[in-house]
Amino acid sequence: MTNNKNYRYQVFEKASLARNFEEQVITNVKNKKIKIPVYVSAGQEFIASTIATICKLKKIKPLIFGQHRCHSTYLTFDGDKGKLIDELLQRKTGCTKGMGGSASIHSTKINMYGHDGLMGSNGPIGVGACYATKKPTIIFLGDAAAEEDYVLGALGWASTKNLPLLVVVEDNNYSILTEKKVRRNWEMSDVAKAFKMKGFNCDDNPMNIYKYSKFFFKQPCLLNINTNRIYWHAGAGKDSEKTFDRYKSEKKILGTRADLIDHKTKKLIKNLWKKHLEK
């Protein structure tokens, strides 16, 4: 990487788009403009933002298999913002024609394939697509979805066939409200290593994620990224205000330019939502 600061700003721009979009989602859930369950990625947006930035720098357009909490994945990989708004408003002009909702976002334009709703099923489906096409593929999973048996079996197959696959586990420590320590005593990075894949465990600092990008798409690789959500499933509640917020941290580190990015993006997204709500 030739310019650390420039890279970090690129990531922040994507994260700002995702964070400000999600804050508008929550606002419009509260005022009942959005009438469907939503799974927001606020707090976790630096994962998708960083991976998308790295792919752009590498000039790679991967196949993308997201699950719930995938708004930031869609947005940071250049999905159409207006179409996502319309999707959440259940309109036929939405990215999934108003039928996918928050958890099943689909866009052939950015190679993102909608989720069917079965927990973790995007794991084996993504592996199958990668095996069939041999194209660089990313599977985004939550730490609970990664525990499903068919996900583990798919990882074994991906390793055996040496596929150009990147599995990103967005590890926010919770399955709804159940902490990881209650559910298991092992880490996904260790499971990956047991399958003879590259397996790593890190936080959602964009500089730390970048360290492992040299392995992306050259061989099967699993990155368990520890992060912190803000909102519970369907926006039903909120985690503690004391929970570490990567967005606020990066904004403080990057200074005035980040403040300007945040202000400009907030205004842009607010106006875009207003325009679509008035249709």
Side-chain angles (χ1 to χ4, degrees):
M1 183 166 44
T2 56
N3 190 326
N4 290 359
K5 201 82 170 180
N6 187 49
Y7 160 75
R8 212 158 181 168
Y9 280 124
Q10 287 181 56
V11 174
F12 186 82
E13 284 178 352
K14 288 182 177 294
S16 183
L17 169 63
R19 171 61 70 92
N20 284 294
F21 188 93
E22 297 294 57
E23 292 297 347
Q24 283 297 308
V25 170
I26 290 298
T27 295
N28 286 293
V29 166
K30 289 179 179 177
N31 65 23
K32 302 189 186 307
K33 298 292 185 182
I34 296 175
K35 305 179 189 301
I36 59 172
V38 293
Y39 304 93
V40 293
S41 51
Q44 302 183 187
E45 59 278 300
F46 267 86
I47 296 177
S49 300
T50 302
I51 300 296
T53 300
I54 290 170
C55 285
K56 187 174 182 180
L57 291 171
K58 289 178 175 287
K59 295 181 170 58
I60 290 173
K61 188 176 180 180
L63 305 183
I64 303 166
F65 292 84
Q67 202 177 244
H68 67 290
R69 293 192 188 277
C70 63
H71 297 173
S72 62
T73 303
Y74 174 84
L75 292 167
T76 58
F77 278 91
D78 298 327
D80 187 300
K81 299 181 285 295
K83 287 186 176 182
L84 181 54
I85 291 173
D86 284 352
E87 185 65 33
L88 298 177
L89 297 175
Q90 297 173 276
R91 293 173 177 168
K92 291 182 179 179
T93 46
C95 56
T96 321
K97 302 188 186 303
M99 296 185 290
S102 175
S104 302
I105 296 167
H106 181 88
S107 171
T108 54
K109 186 176 180 180
I110 63 168
N111 292 338
M112 184 168 176
Y113 299 95
H115 185 240
D116 61 16
L118 182 62
M119 189 74 153
S121 66
N122 57 320
I125 292 171
V127 168
C130 188
Y131 176 68
T133 64
K134 302 300 185 289
K135 292 181 179 179
T137 302
I138 306 176
I139 297 169
F140 287 92
L141 296 163
D143 53 276
E147 297 167 10
E148 297 292 346
D149 55 353
Y150 37 79
V151 171
L152 303 180
L155 292 181
W157 176 259
S159 178
T160 300
K161 297 302 177 182
N162 197 33
L163 302 181
L165 178 73
L166 173 62
V167 179
V168 178
V169 181
E170 298 191 356
D171 188 346
N172 64 21
N173 188 45
Y174 288 103
S175 174
I176 314 295
L177 291 172
T178 304
E179 291 186 75
K180 196 165 62 174
K181 66 183 179 182
V182 177
R183 305 181 336 249
R184 54 177 157 103
N185 62 353
W186 44 270
E187 294 291 344
M188 279 303 298
S189 53
D190 293 326
V191 171
K193 290 173 185 175
F195 283 126
K196 298 184 180 179
M197 293 174 62
K198 292 290 184 182
F200 305 101
N201 201 330
C202 69
D203 62 14
D204 56 3
N205 183 319
M207 303 306 295
N208 291 337
I209 295 173
Y210 188 87
K211 292 176 186 176
Y212 303 109
S213 63
K214 61 186 176 182
F215 300 110
F216 292 1
F217 311 121
K218 294 179 179 177
Q219 60 197 108
C221 179
L222 182 143
L223 204 54
N224 190 89
I225 304 178
N226 297 285
T227 188
N228 297 289
R229 70 184 184 189
I230 294 178
Y231 300 101
W232 300 355
H233 270 61
K238 195 173 182 180
D239 282 342
S240 170
E241 295 288 348
K242 295 180 181 179
T243 301
F244 176 76
D245 188 338
R246 177 66 59 190
Y247 189 79
K248 290 181 180 178
S249 174
E250 284 293 298
K251 187 178 172 186
K252 185 176 181 180
I253 290 168
L254 296 174
T256 304
R257 184 173 165 186
D259 287 333
L260 292 172
I261 291 170
D262 180 65
H263 178 74
K264 181 181 177 181
T265 307
K266 186 174 295 187
K267 185 177 179 181
L268 183 151
I269 294 300
K270 188 174 182 180
N271 287 339
L272 187 62
W273 268 94
K274 184 174 183 290
K275 177 182 174 182
H276 280 259
L277 286 167
E278 289 174 350
K279 275 185 180 180

